[in-house]
Amino acid sequence: MPAYDKADIQRRMTGAVDALKHDLGGLRTGRASTTLLDPVNVEVYGSHMPLTQVATVSAPEPRMLTVQVWDKTNVSSVEKAIRSAGLGLNPINDGQTLRLPIPDLTEERRKELAKLASQYAEKARIAARNVRRDGMDSLKTDEKKNVFGEDERKRHETELQKVTDKTIADIDAASSSKEKEILGK
C-alpha cells in the first residue's frame, strides 16, 4: 500500500488555509466579536487549553467582551493568557468575570493587527510547507519500496509542488485582503 495519499495532502493543505481564515476572522477592525479570543490558549490544570474550554466569552456591547471564567482559581491564568496573546487587549478583573474593552483603532493599533495577520499567514505557510515535506518523504518511501518508479515519483512531486504553490497563493491572498481591510486601504 502506498504511503503517499494525494487526497490526504490536499485535505491538509486546505486545512491550513481554513485555519488561517478562521484566525483572520478573529481580527476585528473595531467591533467586539467572541472570535477575537479564539487564538488564546490558557495554561490550566497542567496543560494548554483553548479559552473556550475554561470560560464563556460573550459580547454584551459593541465595544466590550466579557469572559466568565468557570473556575475561580483560573482567573489569573486566563487574564495572563489574554494579555500575552498579542491582541492588544487589557482585561479588567471583576471577580470571576474579565471585562475586555475593545480599544479604538488608532493607526498604531491597525499596524499591530496587520502585523498579527502577517504572523498568522506565516504560520499557515509553514504548515503548508510541512505538508509538502511529508508528501515528498512519502513519495521517496514509496519509490524505495518499489511502489512506483522514479518517473512517477517526479510526476507526483510536480503535482505536489503545484498544490503547494496554489495553497500558498491562497494564503497570501487571504492575508493581503485582511491587511488591506485592517489598514483601511
Side-chain angles (χ1 to χ4, degrees), residues 33-45:
S33 170
T34 57
T35 59
L36 184 64
L37 298 176
D38 282 353
V40 177
N41 283 313
V42 184
E43 186 175 348
V44 290
Y45 310 121

Side-chain angles (χ1 to χ4, degrees), residues 125-149:
R125 283 186 208 97
I126 290 170
R129 289 183 196 118
N130 286 340
V131 172
R132 178 187 62 195
R133 184 197 63 225
D134 292 346
M136 294 290 191
D137 290 347
S138 297
L139 288 170
K140 289 175 184 168
T141 301
D142 286 348
E143 184 183 15
K144 286 180 184 174
K145 291 180 179 178
N146 293 321
V147 174
F148 46 74

Side-chain angles (χ1 to χ4, degrees), residues 18 20 23 30 39 57 100-101 115 117 123 137 140 167 179 182:
D18 291 344
L20 171 67
D23 288 346
V57 180
L100 303 165
K115 185 177 177 184
K123 286 181 185 175
D137 290 347
K140 289 175 184 168
T167 301
E179 286 180 29
I182 290 169

Side-chain angles (χ1 to χ4, degrees), residues 82-174:
I82 292 170
R83 286 187 198 278
S84 64
L87 298 172
L89 300 174
N90 291 312
I92 300 167
N93 192 329
D94 188 15
Q96 265 184 265
T97 303
L98 297 174
R99 300 192 186 293
L100 303 165
I102 305 299
D104 289 334
L105 281 181
T106 62
E107 188 63 27
E108 180 181 327
R109 177 81 174 129
R110 288 178 191 274
K111 287 180 181 176
E112 283 178 25
L113 288 174
K115 185 177 177 184
L116 193 58
S118 65
Q119 288 174 355
Y120 288 161
E122 186 56 31
K123 286 181 185 175
R125 283 186 208 97
I126 290 170
R129 289 183 196 118
N130 286 340
V131 172
R132 178 187 62 195
R133 184 197 63 225
D134 292 346
M136 294 290 191
D137 290 347
S138 297
L139 288 170
K140 289 175 184 168
T141 301
D142 286 348
E143 184 183 15
K144 286 180 184 174
K145 291 180 179 178
N146 293 321
V147 174
F148 46 74
E150 182 180 353
D151 290 343
E152 192 170 350
R153 176 186 55 86
K154 287 186 178 183
R155 185 178 55 78
H156 284 303
E157 284 179 352
T158 304
E159 288 176 1
L160 181 57
Q161 186 59 48
K162 286 180 183 176
V163 170
T164 304
D165 291 343
K166 182 189 177 310
T167 301
I168 290 183
D170 291 347
I171 289 168
D172 291 342

